[in-house]
């Protein structure tokens, strides 16, 4: 079957997806797959949240999978901190390294046998090959390309080794990596947000490495194997991965596996359209936790600036976000985040927390701890804290909790 895209006729890569296959509907399973090479920031929280909302809206499962195969870039403590932050935000995974689950383990470094199995299958079918090129040779190819102002790409030389040459090199214990042989003329695919997308990857890239010399897989292979083995139904991830999706679909095809649906999410940017910089330090979730913001405030501000919801009023709670969430209304426009509006969002949510009996009790307990830490030798009475809270709310000055501690100090 051929589909008309713009002026060109392009074949569709995966017709008969699970939605139109006529079979029983599959369980919705989505995953958030960060690399523990850093701490969770606002952009990551937003990707996790969109996955969580999709799962909860459709009665499915939300998985946390740690993509920790780049051993040189691991940051100590980041893996645990990411899961802590999801819990803090009120969007805990159903399956994760900490919680376990039927498709574990949930850390890629513990699933090496699965990547080796897939690599073996690809080698046997001829879809992958061993590459013995030295780092020096690869470096040379890169330099040559840059000198002639071309994009560096591997020249696929080892594709053409005979099986005897491979045997010889292996007998000599020559180090190798495994590369996936990119077929030419890749098909287009339908992204649930970006629509029909075409990227003839083989015409612009050399064959990608799928298994490194240290026996660890690269992102592309591990991602495909795990999404398949974890029965992921929908991949909702940042737009920066849209360009890699054709490669992933080619791997699915070579392995004879049915791929998930893909929805790429537009980026979260600063108000002026610049990239959210992790170096600023104030986009990490821990920063907002330390400042005493409520999770509701953060979830609201990161969704309010983008699409995907019916209506866009300030002050939405998590159940409201679930209810109003609609994948089909996500547009391709970047979400522009205005952190100057944070105090305003904070005020709305604090006011709501103060009004609700249960949430007020939680807030009082939280403040009691903060006050106790700040004024060590004083005893803080719950009713008293509550009275001040209500008073501040009435006077329209509900600040964020951490400021409240200082404000409260003046009353005591
Ligand atoms: N490990 C990748 C990341 O950190 C995951 C991308 C994906 O979701 O496929 O962004």
């Amino acid at each position: 079957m051929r589909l008309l895209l713009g002026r060109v006729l392009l074949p569709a890569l995966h017709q008969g997806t699970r939605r139109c296959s006529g079979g029983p509907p599959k369980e919705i399973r989505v995953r958030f797959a960060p690399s523990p090479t850093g701490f969770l920031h606002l952009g990551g929280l937003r990707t996790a949240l969109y996955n969580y909302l999709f799962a909860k809206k459709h009665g499915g499962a939300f998985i946390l999978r740690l993509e920790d195969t780049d051993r040189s870039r691991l940051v100590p403590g980041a893996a645990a901190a990411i899961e802590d932050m999801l819990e803090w935000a009120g969007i805990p995974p159903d399956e994760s390294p900490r919680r376990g689950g039927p498709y574990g383990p949930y850390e890629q470094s513990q699933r090496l046998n699965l990547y080796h199995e897939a690599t073996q299958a690809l080698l046997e079918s001829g879809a992958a090959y061993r590459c013995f090129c030295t780092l020096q040779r690869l470096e040379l190819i890169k330099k040559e390309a840059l000198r002639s102002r071309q994009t560096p790409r591997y020249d696929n030389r080892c594709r053409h080794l005979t099986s005897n040459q491979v045997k010889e090199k292996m007998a000599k214990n020559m180090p190798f990596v495994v590369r996936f042989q990119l077929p030419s003329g890749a098909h287009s695919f339908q992204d649930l947000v970006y629509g029909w997308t075409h990227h003839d990857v083989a015409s612009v890239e050399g064959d990608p490495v799928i298994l490194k010399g240290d026996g660890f897989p690269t992102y592309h292979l591990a991602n495909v194997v795990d999404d398949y083995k974890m029965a992921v139904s929908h991949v909702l991830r940042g737009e920066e991965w849209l360009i890699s999706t054709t490669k992933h679909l080619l791997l699915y095809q070579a392995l004879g596996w049915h791929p998930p649906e893909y929805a790429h999410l537009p980026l979260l940017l600063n108000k002026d359209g610049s990239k959210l910089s992790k170096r600023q330090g104030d986009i990490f979730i821990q920063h907002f936790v330390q400042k005493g913001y409520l999770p509701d405030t953060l979830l609201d501000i990161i969704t309010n600036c983008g699409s995907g919801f019916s209506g866009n009023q300030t002050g939405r709670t998590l159940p409201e976000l679930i209810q109003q969430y609609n994948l089909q209304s996500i547009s391709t426009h970047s979400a522009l985040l205005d952190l100057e509006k944070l105090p305003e969002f904070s005020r709305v949510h604090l006011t709501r927390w103060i009004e609700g009996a249960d949430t007020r009790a939680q807030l009082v307990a939280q403040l009691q701890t903060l006050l106790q830490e700040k004024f060590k030798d004083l005893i803080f009475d719950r009713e008293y804290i509550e009275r001040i809270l209500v008073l501040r709310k009435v006077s329209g000055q509900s600040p964020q909790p951490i400021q409240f501690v200082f404000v409260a100090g003046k009353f005591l």
Side-chain angles (χ1 to χ4, degrees):
M1 181 174 174
R2 292 168 85 78
L3 290 170
L4 190 62
L5 177 70
R7 284 176 299 132
V8 247
L9 281 170
L10 293 168
L13 183 61
H14 56 286
Q15 296 295 323
T17 59
R18 51 175 52 77
R19 277 175 310 160
C20 47
S21 61
K26 288 236 170 141
E27 190 199 346
I28 297 289
R29 291 176 58 79
V30 289
R31 85 306 190 266
F32 173 51
S35 301
T37 51
F39 294 89
L40 189 67
H41 55 80
L42 290 173
L45 179 66
R46 183 161 166 277
T47 305
L49 176 62
Y50 274 54
N51 275 282
Y52 176 89
L53 296 176
F54 189 71
K56 299 303 146 186
K57 175 116 200 171
H58 299 286
F62 170 53
I63 305 159
L64 170 67
R65 178 175 79 224
L66 293 173
E67 303 210 330
D68 58 349
T69 57
D70 190 349
R71 309 303 289 167
S72 60
R73 292 181 55 227
L74 295 185
V75 169
I82 291 172
E83 196 159 351
D84 286 345
M85 290 300 103
L86 293 181
E87 282 169 11
W88 172 84
I91 55 169
D94 300 304
E95 298 168 29
S96 73
R98 192 175 288 166
R99 287 170 193 246
Y103 295 86
Y106 292 88
E107 283 128 318
Q108 290 189 326
S109 55
Q110 291 177 34
R111 303 169 61 84
L112 296 186
N113 56 329
L114 295 173
Y115 314 128
H116 292 169
E117 255 173 43
T119 305
Q120 196 51 39
L122 292 171
L123 282 169
E124 277 166 22
S125 70
Y129 60 90
R130 292 181 178 83
C131 168
F132 299 89
C133 289
T134 58
L135 283 180
Q136 289 88 320
R137 175 164 194 276
L138 298 176
E139 210 37 54
L140 207 68
I141 296 177
K142 201 166 158 186
K143 275 194 190 142
E144 288 290 318
L146 292 175
R147 194 174 312 145
S148 51
R149 290 165 195 255
Q150 284 180 345
T151 315
R153 55 188 278 195
Y154 177 58
D155 61 359
N156 300 345
R157 181 161 89 167
C158 289
R159 253 195 202 193
H160 312 291
L161 293 175
T162 63
S163 54
N164 278 344
Q165 284 170 319
V166 172
K167 268 189 210 143
E168 250 171 53
K169 289 178 190 292
M170 290 190 66
K172 285 191 208 154
N173 272 335
M174 283 177 70
F176 66 87
V177 297
V178 178
R179 289 185 187 267
F180 176 56
Q181 185 164 330
L182 288 175
S184 51
H187 300 236
S188 56
F189 68 95
Q190 192 171 27
D191 185 84
L192 296 176
V193 173
Y194 284 79
W196 283 100
T197 306
H198 181 67
H199 177 52
D200 188 3
V201 61
S203 70
V204 285
E205 288 181 36
D207 290 338
V209 173
I210 52 171
L211 198 73
K212 296 180 280 186
D214 61 3
F216 276 80
T218 55
Y219 159 71
H220 300 296
L221 178 71
N223 194 265
V224 163
V225 170
D226 288 341
D227 284 342
Y228 178 73
K229 297 280 180 188
M230 291 181 174
V232 167
S233 64
H234 293 74
V235 170
L236 273 55
R237 62 183 174 195
E239 183 255 315
E240 67 271 29
W241 299 106
L242 184 63
I243 193 91
S244 302
T245 306
T246 303
K247 211 179 291 171
H248 298 170
L249 290 169
L250 290 169
L251 276 165
Y252 276 101
Q253 201 173 41
L255 287 160
W257 294 344
H258 191 81
E261 304 266 0
Y262 287 91
H264 287 85
L265 307 169
L267 297 179
L268 183 65
L269 301 173
N270 289 321
K271 179 170 75 163
D272 62 2
S274 61
K275 229 177 134 191
L276 281 189
S277 167
K278 291 175 207 166
R279 261 168 280 142
Q280 289 163 1
D282 54 3
I283 60 159
F284 290 101
I285 308 307
Q286 262 133 334
H287 163 85
F288 298 96
V289 176
Q290 277 154 15
K291 289 266 176 196
Y293 285 100
L294 292 172
D296 287 358
T297 303
L298 274 200
L299 299 187
D300 193 14
I301 196 166
I302 60 173
T303 46
N304 200 277
C305 60
S307 50
F309 301 88
S310 45
N312 70 339
Q313 85 269 17
T314 310
R316 272 188 296 230
T317 59
L318 190 54
E320 284 163 350
L321 286 173
I322 297 172
Q323 199 219 336
Q324 295 181 21
Y325 182 68
N326 179 6
L327 191 65
Q328 269 146 21
S329 69
I330 300 181
S331 77
T332 57
H333 295 126
S334 305
L336 303 182
L337 179 67
D338 184 359
L339 278 179
E340 277 165 27
K341 290 195 182 147
L342 196 57
E344 201 179 308
F345 278 81
S346 186
R347 193 161 22 251
V348 171
H349 285 281
L350 270 170
T351 304
R352 197 176 40 77
W353 272 55
I354 295 169
E355 279 165 2
D358 288 352
T359 43
R360 184 165 64 234
Q362 279 181 51
L363 209 52
V364 169
Q366 195 185 330
L367 286 170
Q368 202 174 25
T369 315
L370 285 169
L371 285 164
Q372 212 67 67
E373 278 166 16
K374 172 103 184 118
F375 307 99
K376 296 210 167 26
D377 8 283
L378 293 173
I379 304 290
F380 293 94
D381 181 54
R382 278 176 170 252
E383 281 77 45
Y384 190 65
I385 297 175
E386 196 164 336
R387 263 208 322 276
I388 299 173
L389 259 186
V390 175
L391 194 74
R392 301 299 292 178
K393 196 208 101 189
V394 171
S395 67
Q397 294 173 31
S398 320
Q400 58 185 21
I402 200 85
Q403 287 169 353
F404 177 82
V405 176
F406 298 107
V407 174
K410 290 187 194 144
F411 283 79
L412 297 163

